[in-house]
């Protein structure tokens, strides 16, 4: 009986987000006209690709047992830098935003691994620093991008009928899944989250891998900022507020434990889509006139949803330990 219970609880933790996502899609399809229409589906994928990139980086960080609170401010900084460089072409804008993200990620890596500062404190400090840099570079206002160089195609264009931002996110997740599941780097990431001291004693390069994880998180956040600037036509220094909460929620919803050592890239993507569809459905409900929620309610819902999921995750972990 204990073995059966253990498998049930593990299955719920692993596949619960996929079941919830399927149920939500069926609900939207049955209730709303054009919910699964091409326009709505592609719009959801285009918009949520930014959050998907940030959540991917957060997934690796949380698996190591850390946290990255700076991803939202890093994305905002990346959007400003990309917008400032967009008149010089697509490549300078893309590389500039990416470099800004990598710079913040490098700072996080150095503070966490070399100065041995707790990730919460380290990334809180870089969050404030990145936000300040974004506001200084933008002169406390939105920075318009150049429409003459084709930079906006990174956010507004399509390739083979599929949004370019969604292609970027899809490729990033495929690479992330391969790295986590089929490389020694991925196994080391999991080992660090399980027991960092034991990982070191086994001779694993724990510090180097952890540094690369924070570097990757910053780079992905910077890339999300590039898409932000290209999609909305401006670098926005305050847009990233709350993105870290969305990313953490998506990762946790996907079954990744906040204590580290357990996680899935694919389930994180499912978590991003689940959260994105929840807000999409709320917009449809607004259109039907049943409810009237402003965009500010999204932050309230995200916070409540994250608290609920963490509580459920803790309960399932307790049940799994009891069943074992």
């Amino acid at each position: 009986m204990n073995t059966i219970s253990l498998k049930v609880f593990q299955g719920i933790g692993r596949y619960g987000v996929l079941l919830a996502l399927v149920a939500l899609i069926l609900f939207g399809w049955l209730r709303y006209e054009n919910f699964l229409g091409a326009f709505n589906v592609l719009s959801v994928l285009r918009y949520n690709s930014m959050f998907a990139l940030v959540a991917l980086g957060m997934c690796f960080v949380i698996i190591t047992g850390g946290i990255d609170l700076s991803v939202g401010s890093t994305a905002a900084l990346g959007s400003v830098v990309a917008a400032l460089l967009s008149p010089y072409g697509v490549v300078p804008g893309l590389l500039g935003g990416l470099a800004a993200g990598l710079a913040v990620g490098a700072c996080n890596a150095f503070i966490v691994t070399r100065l041995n500062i707790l990730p919460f404190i380290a990334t809180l400090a870089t969050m404030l620093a990145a936000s300040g840099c974004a506001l200084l570079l933008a002169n406390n206002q939105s920075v318009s991008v150049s429409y003459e160089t084709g930079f906006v195609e990174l956010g507004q264009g399509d390739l083979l009928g599929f949004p370019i931002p969604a292609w970027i996110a899809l490729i990033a997740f495929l690479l992330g899944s391969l790295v986590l599941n089929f490389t020694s780097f991925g196994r080391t990431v999991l080992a660090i989250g399980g027991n960092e001291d034991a990982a070191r004693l086994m001779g694993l390069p724990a510090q180097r891998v952890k540094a690369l994880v924070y570097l990757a998180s910053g780079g992905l956040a910077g890339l999300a900022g590039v898409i932000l600037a290209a999609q909305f036509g401006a670098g926005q220094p305050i847009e990233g507020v709350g993105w870290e909460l969305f990313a953490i929620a998506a990762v946790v919803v996907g079954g990744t434990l906040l204590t580290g050592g357990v996680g899935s890239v694919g389930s994180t993507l499912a978590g991003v889509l689940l959260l994105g569809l929840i807000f999409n459905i709320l917009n449809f409900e607004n259109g039907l006139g049943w409810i009237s929620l402003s965009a500010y309610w999204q932050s309230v819902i995200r916070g409540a949803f994250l608290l609920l999921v963490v509580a459920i995750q803790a309960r399932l972990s307790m049940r799994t330990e009891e069943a074992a």
Side-chain angles (χ1 to χ4, degrees), residues 128-147:
L128 297 174
S131 179
C133 289
L135 289 168
L136 287 171
L137 288 174
N139 197 24
N140 200 23
Q141 60 186 357
S142 296
V143 179
S144 298
V145 305
S146 173
Y147 283 83

Side-chain angles (χ1 to χ4, degrees), residues 40-307:
N40 187 57
V41 171
L42 295 179
S43 296
V44 169
L45 293 176
R46 186 186 304 276
Y47 179 69
N48 285 283
S49 61
M50 299 178 293
F51 303 120
L53 290 171
V54 172
L56 176 60
M58 186 71 76
C59 177
F60 277 84
V61 170
I62 290 180
I63 290 176
T64 65
I67 198 76
D68 189 352
L69 300 178
S70 67
V71 290
S73 296
T74 302
L77 176 61
S79 75
V80 171
V81 173
L84 290 172
L85 294 177
S86 63
Y88 301 98
V90 176
V91 174
L94 174 61
L95 294 181
L98 182 61
L102 289 172
V104 177
C107 290
N108 285 332
F110 177 78
I111 296 171
V112 171
T113 62
R114 297 298 181 185
L115 301 183
N116 293 319
I117 304 297
L118 290 175
F120 181 89
I121 301 300
T123 58
L124 179 62
T126 53
M127 176 186 76
L128 297 174
S131 179
C133 289
L135 289 168
L136 287 171
L137 288 174
N139 197 24
N140 200 23
Q141 60 186 357
S142 296
V143 179
S144 298
V145 305
S146 173
Y147 283 83
E148 299 176 356
T149 60
F151 174 79
V152 293
E153 288 298 309
L154 287 174
Q156 302 174 16
D158 295 327
L159 179 63
L160 302 177
F162 201 64
I164 290 177
W167 277 116
I168 295 173
L170 178 61
I171 292 171
F173 268 84
L174 288 174
L175 291 175
S177 182
L178 290 173
V179 168
L180 183 62
N181 295 307
F182 301 105
T183 67
S184 59
F185 180 90
R187 289 190 290 273
T188 303
V189 168
L190 292 166
I192 291 171
N195 190 320
E196 186 172 347
D197 291 333
R200 287 200 191 95
L201 290 174
M202 288 188 294
L204 298 176
Q207 291 293 85
R208 184 168 74 244
V209 168
K210 192 158 64 169
L212 289 174
V213 164
Y214 281 96
L215 186 65
S217 180
L220 287 167
L223 183 57
V226 174
I227 294 175
L228 171 66
Q231 192 168 140
F232 294 97
Q236 304 183 47
I238 60 173
E239 178 61 29
V241 175
W243 282 29
E244 63 284 342
L245 180 58
F246 185 102
I248 295 170
V251 171
V252 174
V253 167
T256 299
L257 298 180
L258 285 171
T259 52
V262 176
S264 168
V265 169
S267 294
T268 295
L269 179 58
V272 172
L273 295 175
L274 179 64
L275 290 176
L277 285 179
I278 287 174
F279 298 125
N280 186 237
I281 283 177
L282 289 175
N283 290 332
F284 270 94
E285 287 292 331
N286 277 336
L288 292 178
W290 289 98
I291 59 175
S292 180
L293 294 177
S294 68
Y296 301 112
W297 276 100
Q298 290 191 11
S299 295
V300 178
I301 294 169
R302 285 173 186 165
F305 192 74
L306 177 60
L307 179 61

